[in-house]
């Protein structure tokens, strides 16, 4: 006798598969974290194999015929609750997409990621792009292949964008960056004509340990749970999550540039707070994952810029910072410090760029990625286009590879389509912060007392708890009453810099 299983039994079966696949992926993530933080140099080749094996195992589980049949059967059931239906809908979308990638391709991509990352590290160490270029070219080839396997309409880059920002495409982003090209230069021009602020005190000698200790104080005050995370040093700051109960951040230290560590820690702390706020009971399921990279970036940019580069934050933290660095900051007032940290000046390094010029760094990478994926540009010719775009948009060019094409780790990991989310995240962040201030009585006064519980709870309630249930635009509409609105960002940034530079 064939007894039909209940919806709960089938759902539990589905949940077991997805969570086991998540276990494998998170085991791989631990190896990836170790690779960037602690692994010895000779470990890259075998680590690449290990990561490829785990990626292949997870992919096989989530593209198996039995898993597909299970999803299809669940789709016919009417005895699931709303959360279960949402998980199932998203898993079906993932299955359909993942099914297009052969296991052999997934394994090859994982191996190439390790090889590319190792070449990137060696290139940075020797400040020589030519070491990295051949491995990058191989990665670009795999990304083109992935776009073809996924399928796309219009530009092949659309297929890769959808991996990071669902629904995004070249047409949408061209419109976004049209605003960047046309609106931000107006503000930049006014600032360049104003009296420049002084930030020379950031280049004084700040010992590593005191920098580190202060960053730990800031992360704790923000609400980062150190019983469910840790901070380490890496070549390129990043956040990685194995579950809401284990979310780790990294930063980097320059004893003669204080800004390098602090805002990296705050930025990555924003990412980590999002991951720690995802529902742990949805571990391994779509509702236990972040909505998109744009939403993820909105969290880090909100904490880094709207909060961490704001006056309210430093009314509490500046006296604390002065206790860590009494000699370095004895002649620097909190107003001097606030103005200096928000200095606007074209520069070469994206992660250390100010809020105005930052989006030209992203625009340049967006233009480069489109050309690489369409085959209009090859890896060996990348430095020439890179420097040309920097000259065009920011009036400067890199004097060496480390400050130019080698500054970002993303392409070595095959993350083509990721960079635009940095700007999208900043624009979403302005809207979310504006709404939080409107919704929470006395929020900015609380910040001046070092209290961020109200802001964090607001983010948990309005954004973190939903996981992937909504797209970026749906979530923004739900939280703020409208979709992405570039004018909110421009109003925020114009108002901020009007005070700093005494401009109209």
């Amino acid at each position: 006798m064939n007894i039909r299983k209940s919806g709960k039994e089938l759902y539990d079966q589905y949940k077991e598969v997805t969570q086991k696949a998540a276990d494998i992926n998170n085991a791989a993530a631990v190896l990836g974290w170790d690779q960037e933080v602690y692994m010895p140099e000779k470990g890259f080749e075998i680590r690449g194999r290990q990561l490829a094996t785990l990626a292949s195992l997870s992919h096989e589980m989530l593209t198996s015929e039995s898993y597909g049949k299970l999803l299809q059967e669940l789709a016919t059931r009417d005895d699931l609750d709303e959360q279960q239906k949402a998980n199932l809908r998203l898993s079906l979308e993932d299955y359909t997409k993942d099914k297009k990638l052969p296991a052999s391709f997934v394994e090859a991509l994982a191996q190439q990621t390790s090889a590319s990352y190792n070449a990137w590290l060696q290139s940075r160490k020797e400040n020589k792009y030519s070491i990295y270029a051949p491995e990058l070219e191989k990665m670009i080839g795999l990304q083109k292949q992935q776009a073809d396997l996924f399928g796309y309409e219009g530009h092949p880059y659309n297929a890769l964008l959808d991996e990071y920002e669902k629904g995004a495409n070249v047409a949408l982003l061209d419109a976004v960056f049209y605003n960047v090209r046309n609106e931000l230069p107006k503000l930049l021009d006014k600032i360049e004509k104003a009296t420049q602020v002084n930030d020379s005190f950031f280049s004084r000698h700040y010992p590593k340990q005191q920098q580190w200790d202060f960053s730990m104080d800031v992360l704790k005050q923000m609400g980062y749970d150190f019983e469910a995370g840790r901070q380490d040093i890496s070549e390129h700051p990043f956040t990685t999550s194995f579950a809401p109960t284990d979310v780790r951040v990294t930063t980097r230290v320059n004893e003669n540039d204080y800004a390098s560590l602090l805002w990296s820690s705050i930025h990555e702390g924003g990412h980590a707070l999002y991951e720690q706020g995802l529902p742990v009971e949805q571990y391994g399921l779509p509702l236990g994952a972040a909505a998109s990279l744009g939403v993820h970036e909105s969290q880090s940019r909100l904490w880094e810029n709207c909060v961490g580069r704001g006056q309210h934050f430093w009314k509490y933290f500046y006296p604390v910072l002065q206790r860590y660095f009494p000699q370095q900051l004895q002649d620097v007032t909190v107003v001097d410090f606030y103005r200096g940290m928000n200095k606007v000046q074209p520069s070469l390094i994206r992660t250390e760029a100010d809020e105005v010029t930052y989006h030209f760094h992203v625009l340049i990478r967006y233009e480069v990625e489109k050309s690489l994926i369409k085959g209009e540009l090859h890896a060996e010719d990348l430095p020439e286009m890179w420097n040309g775009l920097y000259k065009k948009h920011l009036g400067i060019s890199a004097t060496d590879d480390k400050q130019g094409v080698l500054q970002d780790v993303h392409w070595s990991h095959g993350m083509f389509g990721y960079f635009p989310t940095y700007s999208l995240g900043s624009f979403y962040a302005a809207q979310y912060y504006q709404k939080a201030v409107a919704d929470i009585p006395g929020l900015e006064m609380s910040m001046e007392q070092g209290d961020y519980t109200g802001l964090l709870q607001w983010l948990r309630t309005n954004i973190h708890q939903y996981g992937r249930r909504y797209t970026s635009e749906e979530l923004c509409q739900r939280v703020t009453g409208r979709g992405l609105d570039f004018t909110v960002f421009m109003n925020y940034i114009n108002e901020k810099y009007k005070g700093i530079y005494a401009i109209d």
Side-chain angles (χ1 to χ4, degrees), residues 197-262:
V197 301
N198 176 30
D199 69 341
S200 60
F201 48 84
F202 280 110
S203 299
R204 294 171 181 173
H205 182 73
Y206 294 85
K208 175 181 178 179
Q209 191 59 50
Q210 285 97 306
Q211 287 197 50
W212 178 267
D213 291 344
F214 180 72
S215 74
M216 296 289 276
D217 287 350
V218 169
L219 286 171
K220 288 173 186 175
Q221 205 78 16
M222 288 167 58
Y224 179 63
D225 182 359
F226 276 96
E227 291 185 358
R230 55 180 290 127
Q231 180 174 246
D232 292 277
I233 299 292
S234 67
E235 181 71 15
H236 190 102
F238 69 96
T239 301
T240 190
S241 174
F242 315 126
T245 51
D246 188 355
V247 183
R248 307 181 188 188
V249 299
T250 72
T251 189
R252 58 185 172 201
V253 184
N254 183 339
E255 291 195 324
N256 297 308
D257 180 6
Y258 182 62
S260 182
L261 180 145
L262 180 58

Side-chain angles (χ1 to χ4, degrees), residues 147-213:
D148 290 337
L149 288 167
F150 280 151
Y152 56 86
E153 292 183 9
H155 203 292
Y157 190 55
N158 289 339
L160 305 180
L161 284 171
D162 197 64
E163 283 287 274
Y164 302 102
E165 194 67 20
K166 188 176 177 183
N169 54 45
V170 166
L172 181 150
L173 289 173
D174 281 349
V176 169
F177 286 111
Y178 174 84
N179 287 325
V180 170
R181 283 192 186 93
N182 285 273
E183 296 301 321
L184 285 178
K186 299 173 187 176
L187 175 59
L188 186 57
D189 183 59
K190 290 179 182 179
I191 290 171
E192 288 177 341
K193 291 174 181 176
T195 302
Q196 184 56 283
V197 301
N198 176 30
D199 69 341
S200 60
F201 48 84
F202 280 110
S203 299
R204 294 171 181 173
H205 182 73
Y206 294 85
K208 175 181 178 179
Q209 191 59 50
Q210 285 97 306
Q211 287 197 50
W212 178 267
D213 291 344

Side-chain angles (χ1 to χ4, degrees), residues 33-40 230-233:
W33 171 83
D34 172 74
Q35 177 175 271
E36 298 205 32
V37 177
Y38 289 124
M39 194 182 77
R230 55 180 290 127
Q231 180 174 246
D232 292 277
I233 299 292

